[in-house]
Amino acid sequence: MLDRIKSLEPTVFENLVYDLMGSSGFENLVWRTPGADGGRDIEGEALCRDLSGFMHAQTWYIECKRYDGTLSWPLIWEKIAFSEASDTDYLLVVTTSTPSPLAETKISEWNNSRKRPQVRVWRGYELERKIQLVPVLQVKYGLVDDPDLRPDAFWPLAEKSMKAILAAKGSLVVPKLTPLYVEYATALSQLLSRRLEDLSTEGKIVVSGFNKDKDNYDWLDVSGLRNSNTFDSFGIRAIISGLRIWAKEGSPIKVEQVSNNKISISVQFKRDPPDSLLDEMKDVCLWSDLEVCLEGLIVIITSRG
């Protein structure tokens, strides 16, 4: 498996690490686009509870290094310096190789001095072991040839689709909600079908691109959006149709371009967005290489493609 991980393109490797961090319990993950800054590839928070029951968030910077050779100390020190200047709690280096002997010694010395950030390393063999515990990532990134893993990998997405169908049936007493749930269930099913097709024919996810004339909904305002090969149309449609269920009846939903890899969605919610809203989108984001966050009442979607 490690050989296959090493063969991934750099951006795909970063996406793999991003997904692995999410499955490891990290919150508020942000994937930094290539060239955005030289300090880290991913940042996130680990929530920890002390003996008094108080919860606090640790800030982590994650650096992804898909290397064959060992990692030098100057390379790691550069990342430590950036993290230290940013007042980060931990720097995690995720690599397909290992630090050099000098780097291992210097990392130990740095950590023993109790300085921040504390440095952690996932070496190649550790990375492989962690991924072996997450079948969905093995399937998504084509790291194994085991068709028996696919049902488990796709089950969360399929379960969401079935729940939307049941919700549509249950909403028959409120007829105005029925088409919303049917539309959401349809979008989820189309996403699931497309990803299965991608893996069967290409062995990986193939981003379809979003065409605002072909992939738009009648009720969606896309006047501020450009056609883009960056965003997966199946993932975008699943997210937006899901958001519509939470929107006030008849209120407009508008999508606007923020940058090449970021769009904003303006939604008038029935009430303040619940915490479960972003959780509802996690599996869609996983299979679309998308990142969703809330900035006030604006939903921000970022492509990790």
Side-chain angles (χ1 to χ4, degrees), residues 160-194:
K160 277 186 170 51
S161 180
M162 288 188 290
K163 285 181 177 179
I165 293 171
L166 292 174
K169 182 179 179 181
S171 68
L172 291 175
V173 294
V174 189
K176 64 185 179 182
L177 291 179
T178 304
L180 276 63
Y181 282 108
V182 170
E183 203 166 50
Y184 182 41
T186 300
L188 289 171
S189 298
Q190 289 173 337
L191 171 61
L192 175 60
S193 177
R194 179 54 182 261

Side-chain angles (χ1 to χ4, degrees), residues 10-295:
T11 299
V12 177
F13 177 66
E14 289 183 19
N15 273 301
L16 169 61
V17 175
Y18 179 100
D19 287 336
L20 182 59
M21 301 307 295
S23 70
S24 300
F26 278 74
E27 302 284 344
N28 302 318
L29 285 170
V30 178
W31 183 78
R32 296 292 172 178
T33 57
D37 60 59
R40 74 283 199 198
D41 297 315
I42 302 165
E43 62 182 76
E45 294 179 341
L47 300 181
C48 302
R49 187 186 301 274
D50 63 25
L51 292 177
S52 70
F54 178 76
M55 291 287 291
H56 65 281
Q58 298 172 338
T59 304
W60 287 66
Y61 281 180
I62 299 99
E63 182 68 22
C64 307
K65 293 298 180 187
R66 187 183 55 88
Y67 275 27
D68 285 322
T70 58
L71 303 184
S72 68
W73 170 243
L75 177 66
I76 296 174
W77 168 246
E78 177 187 352
K79 304 305 177 182
I80 292 175
F82 181 91
S83 299
E84 183 181 28
S86 302
D87 199 28
T88 308
D89 295 311
Y90 288 88
L91 168 67
L92 172 63
V93 180
V94 181
T95 179
T96 52
S97 60
T98 59
S100 68
L102 175 60
E104 294 280 16
T105 299
K106 291 293 186 179
I107 289 171
S108 295
E109 291 176 353
W110 175 270
N111 288 335
N112 290 337
S113 70
R114 303 292 182 180
K115 294 179 180 179
R116 296 174 67 241
Q118 287 287 285
V119 181
R120 301 292 184 261
V121 181
W122 286 357
R123 297 156 184 85
Y125 61 89
E126 294 170 307
L127 175 61
E128 182 179 31
R129 188 164 61 239
K130 291 179 183 297
I131 293 174
Q132 286 172 341
L133 299 175
V134 192
V136 64
L137 299 187
Q138 298 173 43
V139 172
K140 176 182 176 181
Y141 292 95
L143 302 179
V144 293
D145 297 316
D146 186 355
D148 291 338
L149 288 178
R150 289 189 181 181
D152 288 340
F154 282 103
W155 170 244
L157 192 59
E159 185 179 32
K160 277 186 170 51
S161 180
M162 288 188 290
K163 285 181 177 179
I165 293 171
L166 292 174
K169 182 179 179 181
S171 68
L172 291 175
V173 294
V174 189
K176 64 185 179 182
L177 291 179
T178 304
L180 276 63
Y181 282 108
V182 170
E183 203 166 50
Y184 182 41
T186 300
L188 289 171
S189 298
Q190 289 173 337
L191 171 61
L192 175 60
S193 177
R194 179 54 182 261
R195 293 294 90 98
L196 284 168
E197 181 183 344
D198 287 344
L199 291 175
S200 296
T201 59
E202 302 291 337
K204 61 180 181 179
I205 287 179
V206 180
V207 174
S208 60
F210 187 86
N211 185 303
K212 66 179 186 179
D213 297 319
K214 182 182 69 173
D215 300 314
N216 189 22
Y217 288 110
D218 292 339
W219 43 264
L220 184 64
D221 181 355
V222 293
S223 57
L225 186 65
R226 301 190 300 268
N227 291 335
S228 173
N229 292 325
T230 304
F231 296 94
D232 181 68
S233 62
F234 294 92
I236 292 293
R237 285 169 61 87
I239 290 172
I240 292 177
S241 60
L243 289 175
R244 193 185 182 205
I245 296 172
W246 297 90
K248 291 181 180 178
E249 183 183 1
S251 63
I253 299 180
K254 186 175 183 179
V255 183
E256 295 184 301
Q257 197 86 30
V258 177
S259 65
N260 287 336
N261 74 314
K262 185 176 294 187
I263 58 177
S264 67
I265 305 174
S266 301
V267 183
Q268 295 181 28
F269 291 101
K270 298 174 186 176
R271 56 187 182 276
D272 288 343
D275 293 337
S276 60
L277 181 62
L278 295 183
D279 287 337
E280 177 71 17
M281 304 299 173
K282 280 185 176 179
D283 294 305
V284 173
C285 291
L286 173 69
W287 287 106
S288 309
D289 282 344
L290 297 173
E291 177 185 303
V292 176
C293 68
L294 280 170
E295 294 184 2

